[in-house]
Amino acid sequence: MPLKNKIEELKKRKEEVLQGGGEQAVAKQVAMGKLTARERIIALLDEDSFNEYDMFVEHDARDFGMDGKVLHGDGVIIGTGTIFGAPVAVYAQDFTVAGGSLGSMHARKITKIMDYALRMRIPLIGINDSGGARIQEGVNSLAGYGEIFWRNTLSSGIIPQISVILGPCAGGAVYSPALTDFVFVVDKISKMFITGPEVIKSVLGEEISQEDLGGAKVHAQITGNAHFYAESEYECFEQIKKLITYIPWNNTRKARRFEPKEPKVNFNIEDIVPGDPKEPYDVRDVIRAIADDSDFFEIQEKWAANIVIGFGRLNGETVGFVANQPLVMAGVLDVDSSDKAARFVRYCDAFNIPLVTLVDLPGYLPGIDQEHAGVIRHGAKLLYAYSEATVPKMTVILRKAYGGGYIAMSSRHLRADFVFAWPSAEIAVMGPEGAANIIFRKEISEAPDPEAMRRQKVEEYKEKFANPYVAAAKGYIDTVIEPAETRKLLLHALEVSSTKVADRPYKKHGIPPF
Amino acid sequence: MIHPKLDDKNVTAFIPGTIIDVKVKKGQEVKQGDVLVILDAMKMHNRLIAPSAGKVKEVKVKPGDKVRKGALLVSIE
């Protein structure tokens, strides 16, 4: 046969695989408001950059009538491509082929691209849209999941791993996204749960819809399992592309450097923060007043919103911002906000991204539910993460820094490299009210007018301790700065810490309180 | 069954505190994000905002009231 004919045959074979699960299944996918796996890859990657592998892989199941059944690509597409020129490895489950169910060859394709991503030290993006394990393949499906989880863990902290949930992701399958760095969900399309509504109903008698149990909003606002929420798949792909610009290809590199840009003039730092420490404000405006081009890429915006995390740039370099949010629950630390910030700090540390921490918090949230939910253990995660991090750490205390919250928020004592405080900073063991009540209990109760005495003592305490100078006198903060100088000093701190050395004693790994 | 965090009709106190200002009246139309009540707690004048647009169905508190955690403050229809 001449080569020309062989090429024709190849084209024919490819053409067949490109049909996915066939016209009917594709129509069903479209009716569900979803793009097909191939459309997703095209929308996500640079034009014409995708190279597919294992297109002709076939399943090897023999039981339950599977023998001879054709499943194109075994329900998953793998390959490599680029996003803004940065190389990425991708897999996308094809729901039109046997519901994207995971059999052994399907899993083997995924683990192949995962191995490739790790070996080449490039980010991995997994698009999940699968009904779950392929029951006909039995325990081989479970083995496949296990192989994926093991690789997720092996790659953790070496290459960025991104999970995109664009359909069902249920049962064991959910653990792969949970082991990765960032999870993206889309309204009405993403569904994630360990046991679905049917099982919950039969075991517990409780009725709930898939959406209310594990829809996009649930994971973006209640569970914290998702990091980015989008209204549409296209919006989701734009978020992924943007994220890729902030992070390095792997843990031996720095994120790509961009052209430095000054913040926009409409973010005047002194106009943002009220002088009265009881008045709230949006700390994201402070970040925008500091960051290049006033650009801030927030992560987990709707979950544990009392702390704000995300990426921005200083002088063109990616930094991770962590900031208490006085606008939400007074900016307290609690179970969820500690967990959220701690994980982000560890992410930045793993991928050579310097940390900028903005402090304004009344402390930890008191309450029976918090204590019983284990706020001690969750709060400790944040202390652990900051203590462990060796990337440059810059801290700016804007207003309140009281008690355990002061220590936890990247204090000098946890080895912040630079601690700046605004003149409005109040750094003390606890708030003036509480402190005065304890220290002067006797004077207050024995005074002819206890309330007047109490107010007087609170004022005295405030005068003496609710400022940055007591901490400055001990060198716990490096300098008290004018708010307008913040960006300039952070840029300088970043510059002088670019050659930072922070050696730690050897250990296999620590035991963080998770 | 709706999780309280996804409830966009009822505004409750996230922590015990004192109501220092009520910005809306029953029957008033509000936009999402409008400030409904100011709650003094955790060293902060916390602005509790409308989770969705609509008409104020009920205002359960007045300035000076001490509220428990989880107490319903304002509901929107």
Side-chain angles (χ1 to χ4, degrees), chain A residues 59-71:
Chain A
H59 72 83
D60 54 8
R62 298 286 167 263
D63 300 323
F64 307 108
M66 288 296 285
D67 203 1
K69 208 169 184 180
V70 178
L71 300 178

Side-chain angles (χ1 to χ4, degrees), chain A residues 489-504:
Chain A
L489 278 160
L490 287 173
L491 257 51
H492 176 73
L494 201 57
E495 205 179 342
V496 300
S497 54
S498 67
T499 44
K500 177 182 175 181
V501 176
D503 289 331
R504 297 288 158 91

Side-chain angles (χ1 to χ4, degrees), chain A residues 73-90:
Chain A
D74 206 27
V76 64
I77 301 165
I78 66 166
T80 48
T82 60
I83 292 178
F84 297 130
V88 292
V90 184

Side-chain angles (χ1 to χ4, degrees), chain A residues 170-387:
Chain A
V174 294
Y175 288 120
S176 176
L179 289 166
T180 61
D181 308 331
F182 298 106
V183 176
F184 289 75
V185 292
V186 175
D187 191 32
K188 295 185 183 71
I189 290 176
S190 314
K191 312 267 185 291
M192 287 174 87
F193 30 72
I194 302 252
T195 55
E198 296 80 22
V199 178
I200 290 181
K201 195 179 171 195
S202 70
V203 176
L204 300 157
E206 293 171 351
E207 281 194 53
I208 190 162
S209 67
Q210 287 198 359
E211 195 64 33
D212 286 344
L213 181 64
K217 281 201 180 82
V218 168
H219 290 302
Q221 296 182 31
I222 299 171
T223 69
N225 288 331
H227 300 83
F228 294 95
Y229 168 90
E231 299 281 340
S232 74
E233 292 197 27
Y234 288 109
E235 187 192 349
C236 171
F237 298 139
E238 291 311 310
Q239 291 171 340
I240 298 168
K241 288 182 201 175
K242 187 157 187 193
L243 173 66
I244 288 286
T245 69
Y246 288 101
I247 58 179
W249 296 1
N250 62 56
N251 69 333
T252 66
R253 291 195 172 213
K254 295 281 279 183
R256 192 180 139 202
R257 210 182 178 98
F258 277 64
E259 199 59 41
K261 273 184 182 168
E262 285 301 306
K264 292 179 176 144
V265 286
N266 48 341
F267 290 103
N268 182 356
I269 204 159
E270 280 172 30
D271 296 340
I272 298 165
V273 181
D276 179 354
K278 284 200 136 196
E279 286 307 314
Y281 60 93
D282 191 340
V283 78
R284 293 174 297 190
D285 288 339
V286 178
I287 296 174
R288 293 183 187 109
I290 295 171
D292 282 17
D293 203 25
S294 297
D295 176 46
F296 176 53
F297 189 52
E298 190 172 356
I299 301 165
Q300 289 174 314
E301 189 184 334
K302 295 273 174 71
W303 179 63
N306 38 327
I307 205 153
V308 167
I309 59 170
F311 296 120
R313 292 190 182 92
L314 287 177
N315 208 23
E317 182 179 348
T318 296
V319 296
F321 283 100
V322 179
N324 309 114
Q325 173 59 292
L327 203 58
V328 179
M329 292 171 70
V332 292
L333 280 174
D334 58 3
V335 167
D336 286 347
S337 60
S338 302
D339 187 272
K340 171 177 164 179
R343 192 166 186 275
F344 181 65
V345 167
R346 296 195 93 205
Y347 184 86
C348 291
D349 189 44
F351 288 100
N352 315 311
I353 298 170
L355 284 159
V356 176
T357 305
L358 306 178
V359 185
D360 186 354
L361 84 164
Y364 278 91
L365 179 65
I368 298 165
D369 56 347
Q370 283 293 311
E371 295 295 337
H372 287 182
V375 68
I376 296 174
R377 165 167 58 93
H378 296 289
K381 289 179 187 172
L382 189 55
L383 297 157
Y384 193 104
Y386 271 125
S387 299

Side-chain angles (χ1 to χ4, degrees), chain A residues 154 156 346 384 388 504-512 514:
Chain A
L154 184 69
S156 181
R346 296 195 93 205
Y384 193 104
E388 175 191 48
R504 297 288 158 91
Y506 170 79
K507 55 179 160 183
K508 189 174 169 193
H509 57 68
I511 329 272
F514 60 59

Side-chain angles (χ1 to χ4, degrees), chain A residues 323-496:
Chain A
N324 309 114
Q325 173 59 292
L327 203 58
V328 179
M329 292 171 70
V332 292
L333 280 174
D334 58 3
V335 167
D336 286 347
S337 60
S338 302
D339 187 272
K340 171 177 164 179
R343 192 166 186 275
F344 181 65
V345 167
R346 296 195 93 205
Y347 184 86
C348 291
D349 189 44
F351 288 100
N352 315 311
I353 298 170
L355 284 159
V356 176
T357 305
L358 306 178
V359 185
D360 186 354
L361 84 164
Y364 278 91
L365 179 65
I368 298 165
D369 56 347
Q370 283 293 311
E371 295 295 337
H372 287 182
V375 68
I376 296 174
R377 165 167 58 93
H378 296 289
K381 289 179 187 172
L382 189 55
L383 297 157
Y384 193 104
Y386 271 125
S387 299
E388 175 191 48
T390 57
V391 287
K393 294 182 280 190
M394 282 87 73
T395 306
V396 186
I397 301 173
L398 312 180
R399 297 196 313 192
K400 288 175 282 214
Y402 285 116
Y406 155 72
I407 310 169
M409 291 302 293
S410 195
S411 64
R412 159 66 19 85
H413 324 294
L414 306 186
R415 300 298 179 270
D417 296 296
F418 297 89
V419 183
F420 305 127
W422 288 6
S424 47
E426 300 175 9
I427 307 163
V429 68
M430 63 195 296
E433 304 265 337
N437 281 339
I438 293 168
I439 299 170
F440 307 108
R441 179 176 295 154
K442 208 158 166 232
E443 283 100 316
I444 291 169
S445 65
E446 286 171 2
D449 182 349
E451 189 44 39
M453 178 60 87
R454 203 181 67 80
R455 276 202 302 273
Q456 184 197 323
K457 290 296 178 191
V458 168
E459 275 315 307
E460 281 176 21
Y461 186 91
K462 221 184 251 179
E463 189 73 19
K464 201 160 175 202
F465 295 106
N467 62 57
Y469 301 106
V470 181
K474 293 281 181 193
Y476 298 153
I477 57 174
D478 297 307
T479 171
V480 182
I481 63 169
E482 289 179 37
E485 300 174 293
T486 308
R487 179 175 155 89
K488 199 184 97 194
L489 278 160
L490 287 173
L491 257 51
H492 176 73
L494 201 57
E495 205 179 342
V496 300

